């Protein structure tokens, strides 16, 4: 039996404490709901970390033993310390997987890895969202069929200010008339990054089966194959010098 | 007659003052050699900026009137102020072109736009470099033929820690036995970015005709098509609400 | 003044003769409507060719003097001779641009260049189509703004069986609930290929200003930079043999 | 224990019978050497097929039960029947993996899936080849380290007439002065395609451990995730008609 994939689910855990609507949907916090369904997978070993813990719960030893990090943030992006962002980025470049959820498109860590601002259009008006599966052979889309719907969600619309994805997996249709690249992957260094759009805090999105399936598939897809430190070495020639 | 393309050539201008070898090759500085051959193109309006000027010569008004920025840096990357890097990055995302030369693979601005460290192997041993043109139909490779050679250069070797390029234009062969993706492009926001490997300060690389042709072609390719500010707007629906 | 871009607009020219609805919209044929607005551009020299001409109007001398070929086909894909397809493909690989319109997603030439079947979902039910511009800095999207609408069109839906585009320019929203990658580019050999979705024969789509702008922009973008014959040469070494 | 991956290794099996040098290196044929090392992997179920069998050994039932097809061809590409090529292509688009080796760059099946001629430079002069691993985190490159060498091989040089790879894994350095994209992947439909350069028939390349490791890794990477028939369905709307 192979070693489990070590997953750390990170969340701000702020809305849940101040907005009763959010607190009712996610009584233990969004991170615990996400960690909860991931714990149902026997190959995953799951823990959580939140903004208000020391070092945001992402100490060196936590990151060192994390294979895949799941990230949800929204209103407190600016409170995430730059030093922690730098450590997370270094771990991704060494091979750690990163799953970026919803409003974390504007997180420091996602912007730092993309090199862009990741801006978009948005609207909080309970749009119907239909996510079309445009890559049915990808490990992340297994078990979903041609599309799935979320009855009410925040709208995110194009243009989405991201670099060209390595792989485009989902395109969303919104009832208000917009479209969005809702699932996409990129390699950064030796790590795999997946952005997945759904998950506004005032809707029960992370309780929906298809959303849970995508995130579970994504965690497995993003597990590291290597861990290689970053280096820029001075190297001797392999071939003899022509004058030698 | 169309308006000229406004080009700003930026360089550290340090090696030239302290290393007599470099000073002999580039008496007015590398930026002046590069600006000099670009000034031979009637469609380009060229100025220069250097590290030790106020704001590194890259004030708001300079950046506002720059269509394409050429960047060479090496030993003083750390001295470039973060605030200037942020302004340059913002302008690229709005549409400004950026040509990144040689050791600027490790510049703050290139790393910030790529999202990676852009590490590589290197060796200062006067390797012969042969750049193979792997995209003969690209505007940047026009006039070059199948390959060109630089008789002596610093070696840069794979793996090169960049995101997958949008377009790969050159692959270098080195006499010491290495290969390198020596010319590549990426879109970032509305701006175009081109990385071009050659140009170690102790060799007369920027006096070579083919190197000058690539940089001139690249400046024209990177000229802005749009200038759009970054925004993340709250937007009303286009379609009527189904319940409306 | 530079030489004009030589454009050949090819169409089946069948529906127009047998379906009065189509004949009323395109009395001289769709190719003449498309050629007509392209002729309004002073830098383009435009002619047409149709299926029922000898060699489908695409003789060697026509192809030899065509810079960009525009292709519309629908019900008679199978009647296009394989020998003509092979000649067109060869010219694209040598550098000729190709603009593939609407139902030509299933043409022999597009399938031959993509390597896939280019299947999709479809529905003839006068859906509203809204094309979102997801690459505002691309030459093909200049002058369009954030999106444009076609009041009634055939629906094409994902998954679209194409290889990953080099560049994704448009994503369509349909009133019936689907999305589609409606504008995309690929390099094939030395030629540029652009697929553009709109243009079902029973709607006046090619009379719409934004559609005409996209096609005109695309023709300019697809113009050849080189013309290089295909070859697989036996080549002597550049470096001396180590044993030599 | 999961079901094994069903691998079919296809080869021309001609050189081995007519050229004593080749026959001495591959007495049972190249396909048997390749099948032999793959049979060492407990998760693979391996059979072979060759050109001179009926239907080239690739009957409908063989293809139906093949998860990954390995293809080596050289001097008899033209003898492969178009009907068999069409069946293989259909199976790849439905999900079957395809590993294309060396001179099969010019096979009908690879050209049909790429959409290009896949031309290149070549030289039979026992060049030293060094394959640099430019994607150390990819499943296909696991266990290889930074590079590996083949002491004597046919040279293949750029430009290589392929579409932009989805993933570039290896770049070769040749002692004669050339470079080549020696390992690359593409999705086509629901199938995964990997091209791997080494393997000229007059050298013992497929007896080399690193080459065997790459091919074994590639077979596992290319196994199907889905099997979906090609279709272009007329589909009813999901959303109610606005006029409904």
């Amino acid at each position: 039996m192979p070693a489990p994939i070590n997953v750390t689910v990170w969340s701000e855990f702020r809305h849940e404490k101040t907005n009763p609507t959010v607190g009712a949907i996610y009584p233990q916090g969004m991170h615990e709901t996400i960690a909860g369904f991931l714990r149902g997978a026997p190959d995953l070993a799951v823990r959580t970390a939140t903004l208000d813990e020391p070092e945001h719960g992402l100490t060196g030893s936590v990151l060192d033993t994390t294979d895949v990090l799941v990230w949800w943030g929204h209103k407190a992006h600016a409170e995430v310390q730059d030093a922690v962002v730098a450590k997370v980025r270094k771990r991704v470049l060494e091979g750690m997987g990163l799953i970026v959820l919803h409003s974390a498109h504007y997180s420091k860590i996602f912007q730092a890895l993309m090199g862009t601002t990741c801006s978009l259009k948005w609207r909080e008006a309970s749009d119907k969202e239909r996510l079309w599966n445009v890559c049915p052979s990808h490990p992340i889309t297994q078990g979903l069929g041609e599309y799935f719907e979320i009855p009410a969600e925040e709208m995110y619309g194009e243009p989405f200010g991201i670099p060209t994805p390595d792989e485009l997996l989902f395109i969303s249709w919104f009832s208000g008339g917009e479209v969005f690249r809702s699932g996409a992957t990129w390699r950064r260094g030796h790590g795999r990054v997946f952005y997945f759009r759904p998950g506004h805090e005032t809707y029960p999105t992370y309780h929906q089966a298809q959303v849970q399936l995508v995130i579970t598939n994504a965690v497995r897809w993003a597990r590291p194959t290597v861990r290689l430190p970053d280096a820029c070495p001075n190297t001797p020639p392999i071939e003899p010098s022509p004058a030698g």
Side-chain angles (χ1 to χ4, degrees), chain A:
Chain A
M1 191 171 166
I5 302 171
N6 293 303
V7 185
T8 302
V9 179
W10 190 92
S11 176
E12 276 178 17
F13 196 25
R14 291 279 178 87
H15 294 280
E16 298 91 329
K17 298 177 195 167
T18 58
N19 181 333
T21 302
V22 182
I25 300 171
Y26 299 111
Q28 267 70 48
M30 305 178 86
H31 52 291
E32 284 299 337
T33 296
I34 294 168
F37 67 74
L38 291 174
R39 285 185 184 115
D43 54 331
L44 308 182
V46 185
R47 61 190 158 185
T48 64
T50 57
L51 181 64
D52 292 324
E53 297 173 52
E55 297 185 56
H56 312 319
L58 298 172
T59 61
S61 73
V62 167
L63 287 174
D64 264 357
T65 55
T66 297
D67 294 315
V68 181
L69 179 63
V70 179
W71 193 280
W72 191 98
H74 185 200
K75 66 177 179 179
H77 294 318
E79 294 181 45
V80 177
Q81 300 165 36
D82 289 340
V84 172
V85 173
K87 280 194 303 179
V88 172
R89 179 170 172 273
K90 179 170 177 291
R91 275 290 289 129
V92 170
L93 298 179
E94 290 174 356
M96 184 178 74
L98 180 70
I99 312 299
V100 177
L101 297 176
H102 187 62
S103 42
H105 75 94
Y106 245 28
S107 63
K108 289 182 180 178
I109 182 61
F110 189 54
Q111 292 180 328
L113 286 164
M114 293 295 105
T116 60
T117 59
C118 310
S119 291
L120 47 80
K121 290 188 175 61
W122 58 278
R123 175 174 64 247
E124 295 185 35
S126 297
D127 279 68
K128 183 197 293 186
E129 177 177 13
R130 180 176 299 110
L131 292 100
W132 286 93
N133 172 1
V134 303
C135 194
S137 64
H138 197 279
I140 294 179
T141 64
Q142 296 313 292
L144 287 170
E146 294 204 322
Y147 67 84
F148 68 95
E149 297 180 358
I150 303 176
E153 251 290 354
E154 183 180 4
M155 185 283 296
Y156 277 9
E158 293 281 345
F160 186 16
I162 49 173
T164 301
D166 291 346
E167 301 169 311
L168 179 61
L169 306 188
F170 297 108
I171 299 176
S172 284
W173 178 101
F174 286 97
S175 51
E178 291 87 0
V179 297
F180 195 71
R181 287 172 287 175
S182 280
T185 80
W186 297 262
R187 278 176 202 276
R188 283 297 181 266
H190 307 298
R192 292 165 175 81
V193 179
F194 175 58
Y195 175 78
F196 188 47
R197 198 214 73 83
H200 191 62
E201 65 272 7
T202 60
Y203 305 107
T205 298
Y206 295 124
H207 292 287
Q208 185 170 333
Q210 296 103 324
V211 171
Q212 296 182 357
L213 180 58
V214 170
I215 296 172
T216 307
N217 286 346
V219 163
R220 288 177 180 136
W221 167 85
R223 71 185 180 282
T225 46
V226 294
R227 178 161 188 178
L228 292 171
D230 183 56
C232 202
N234 187 347
T235 49
I238 301 167
E239 298 294 317
S241 162

